[in-house]
Amino acid sequence: MKYINKITAYIIIGCIVLFASACDGDEFGTEEIPFAPYVLSLGITSGGTTAYYLVTAEDLMSGNINAVGKGIEQSGFHDYEQGNQTIFCIGGLGVTNTTGVVRGGDGYLFEKGEFTFNQSLSAFTQIDNNSMMGVEIPGNAEEGSNITFYNVDINSVAISSRKTASIAPISQFEWPSITGLCMSGNKIYMTYFHMNPKTYETKYTDTTYVAVYSYPEMTLDKVMKDTRTGPAGSWYAHNGIFKVESGDMYIMSNSAIANGYSQSTKKAGFLRIPEGTTEFDDYFFDFETKSGGLKPAHVKYIGDGLVFAEVSTINPQTANDRWGDKSLACYIIDLNNQSFKKIPEIPVHDGDGGRRFSVLVDGGYVYFPVKVKDEGVYIYRIDPKVATAERGAKVSTNFVGGFFKLN
């Protein structure tokens, strides 16, 4: 999770120069080079307000990536998610519209389609080759008792269906906070944890919870529970569950105070759900014990059983560290061998202000933008097989909100 209240804290000199240049006459508009494959959302803060610019880049390992005179501007808070060859720009913090961005026949980006939800979404991800799924949940029991699932057609960039279902039965003072969503077989698996909607206290951190819904009916079939580790994922980080090539699903649990929990009562680790089943198997990777007390904060599955992760180096985490996405080191985690390697070339760094883990996997490498203290944001290219990295292009931004490749 990258924390919203940190967005305004990170204003780098390059962004100030960028805005000064724009005021001198440069307009934010279309891209300069057609068919540039890489797309980044640059979150740029000025005067306490953040605007987002979708820009393209040909080269991630040299030069400077910026939004001067180019890019698609998007006002208000946004998350980003890719479905096939469409980038979905998802409003948040009161913004309820979602826009699709695609590459046109002329090689340039353009906005294709827009739709609006009743409120900001708690989750939005691709579930199959044709559809994205969005999840909308009331803020507390007083606002409603149903969760709403939206199917969005990727090609038409439009809502194709909407279904409602009961929220898993829990106390009105311990409301579900959704941390991840994926589909396996004819079921949707949704990870969540309990958080008091008024005090943000998390009393129940000794169990992993997964709500299982039938698809496409979206009826609640079961709430899976496991007590070997704590709740899956963390607040608005979309990191609770992911699927691997076999169809099996892995759960990441950290119960990290630095990632929003008010307490931590179980060790951070990984669990597994075999494809299409509604039971955990005997797999348990006790990451925290094996690492000597470290907790994975953000994870991205990259293939062949490997996970790229930002890992909190704060040990132990105390109440003073809550909501403090900081002191993060980068690791390659091997789920198959239950091992891990630190990537020494990437410096320990703090969270950068976005919420999603902006990582691109391309051509056997992992590309990751890092805010280097006193230097700015740089892209690092990681070789996951040997856990080494090389620093590449500089990015003139406060943070990178999304990072993709379009053909």
Side-chain angles (χ1 to χ4, degrees):
M1 173 180 49
K2 310 289 191 176
Y3 299 106
I4 303 166
N5 61 358
K6 299 185 72 175
I7 292 177
T8 57
Y10 300 119
I11 300 178
I12 59 176
I13 295 175
C15 294
I16 296 173
V17 172
L18 185 154
F19 274 96
S21 298
C23 292
D24 287 339
D26 289 328
E27 296 293 334
F28 292 94
T30 58
E31 293 301 303
E32 297 173 338
I33 302 173
F35 298 105
Y38 304 107
V39 182
L40 297 87
S41 169
L42 307 188
I44 299 174
T45 303
S46 178
T49 300
T50 299
Y52 295 78
Y53 299 89
L54 279 179
V55 302
T56 59
E58 283 193 300
D59 183 7
L60 298 176
M61 294 306 295
S62 63
N64 182 288
I65 300 172
N66 59 68
V68 177
K70 55 183 178 292
I72 298 175
E73 181 179 0
Q74 297 173 316
S75 59
F77 188 85
H78 281 79
D79 280 331
Y80 296 86
E81 191 73 29
Q82 185 169 356
N84 298 344
Q85 292 300 304
T86 300
I87 298 171
F88 289 88
C89 313
I90 312 145
L93 292 181
V95 180
T96 60
N97 67 300
T98 296
T99 304
V101 171
V102 300
R103 188 186 304 283
D106 59 359
Y108 297 104
L109 301 183
F110 73 97
E111 294 179 327
K112 173 189 175 182
E114 182 178 13
F115 48 92
T116 302
F117 300 104
N118 292 330
Q119 62 188 67
S120 297
L121 296 180
S122 296
F124 190 82
T125 191
Q126 184 170 3
I127 57 170
D128 59 30
N129 290 332
N130 302 308
S131 301
M132 310 292 290
M133 176 168 282
V135 180
E136 188 179 87
I137 187 169
N140 53 58
E142 297 171 354
E143 296 180 7
S145 59
N146 286 331
I147 187 169
T148 303
F149 297 92
Y150 294 89
N151 266 75
V152 174
D153 184 270
I154 295 174
N155 293 326
S156 64
V157 191
I159 296 172
S160 57
S161 67
R162 182 177 69 176
K163 299 287 179 65
T164 60
S166 298
I167 294 171
I170 55 178
S171 164
Q172 64 175 327
F173 300 110
E174 300 299 334
W175 204 242
S177 180
I178 299 170
T179 63
L181 192 75
C182 77
M183 183 174 178
S184 180
N186 63 343
K187 299 183 184 299
I188 297 291
Y189 297 76
M190 184 175 71
T191 54
Y192 65 95
F193 67 94
H194 301 145
M195 175 178 278
N196 188 304
K198 295 182 179 180
T199 66
Y200 301 106
E201 186 178 10
T202 57
K203 291 183 178 180
Y204 304 101
T205 55
D206 61 349
T207 302
T208 301
Y209 300 91
V210 184
V212 184
Y213 295 85
S214 63
Y215 181 83
E217 298 83 8
M218 301 313 299
T219 55
L220 177 62
D221 287 348
K222 182 178 182 178
V223 176
M224 298 174 57
K225 299 179 182 180
D226 196 295
T227 58
R228 287 175 290 177
T229 188
S234 44
W235 189 80
Y236 269 103
H238 315 283
N239 59 0
I241 187 168
F242 56 89
K243 188 165 61 174
V244 302
E245 292 90 336
S246 66
D248 294 345
M249 293 159 287
Y250 284 82
I251 300 292
M252 186 280 286
S253 173
N254 59 24
S255 297
I257 295 173
N259 290 96
Y261 290 92
S262 62
Q263 64 175 358
S264 181
T265 53
K266 290 290 180 74
K267 297 292 182 66
F270 295 85
L271 302 175
R272 183 171 62 197
I273 305 170
E275 180 182 13
T277 69
T278 57
E279 300 290 341
F280 295 97
D281 65 12
D282 60 359
Y283 177 94
F284 178 43
F285 180 2
D286 187 346
F287 181 86
E288 187 166 347
T289 296
K290 289 190 174 185
S291 66
L294 303 181
K295 293 176 180 289
H298 312 288
V299 295
K300 171 75 172 182
Y301 183 68
I302 57 179
D304 296 327
L306 299 180
V307 171
F308 174 63
E310 282 184 309
V311 173
S312 174
T313 62
I314 303 172
N315 183 21
Q317 295 184 5
T318 69
N320 291 331
D321 300 310
R322 196 178 187 198
W323 308 115
D325 208 16
K326 58 186 178 181
S327 299
L328 303 172
C330 289
Y331 280 72
I332 297 296
I333 299 174
D334 190 323
L335 297 173
N336 297 331
N337 298 325
Q338 297 196 22
S339 61
F340 47 87
K341 293 181 180 179
K342 184 179 179 180
I343 304 171
E345 294 83 5
I346 302 180
V348 174
H349 55 279
D350 293 341
D352 58 16
R355 289 197 302 190
R356 296 200 180 237
F357 194 28
S358 297
V359 177
L360 174 67
V361 180
D362 181 45
Y365 291 100
V366 178
Y367 295 88
F368 180 53
V370 177
K371 183 175 173 57
V372 181
K373 185 177 180 180
D374 299 326
E375 295 187 54
V377 178
Y378 286 87
I379 292 175
Y380 281 80
R381 182 174 65 189
I382 300 116
D383 185 340
K385 294 181 180 179
V386 293
T388 61
E390 177 184 0
R391 190 160 89 167
K394 185 172 185 177
V395 189
S396 293
T397 187
N398 296 94
F399 63 93
V400 176
F403 195 2
F404 310 101
K405 183 180 181 180
L406 294 181
N407 296 330

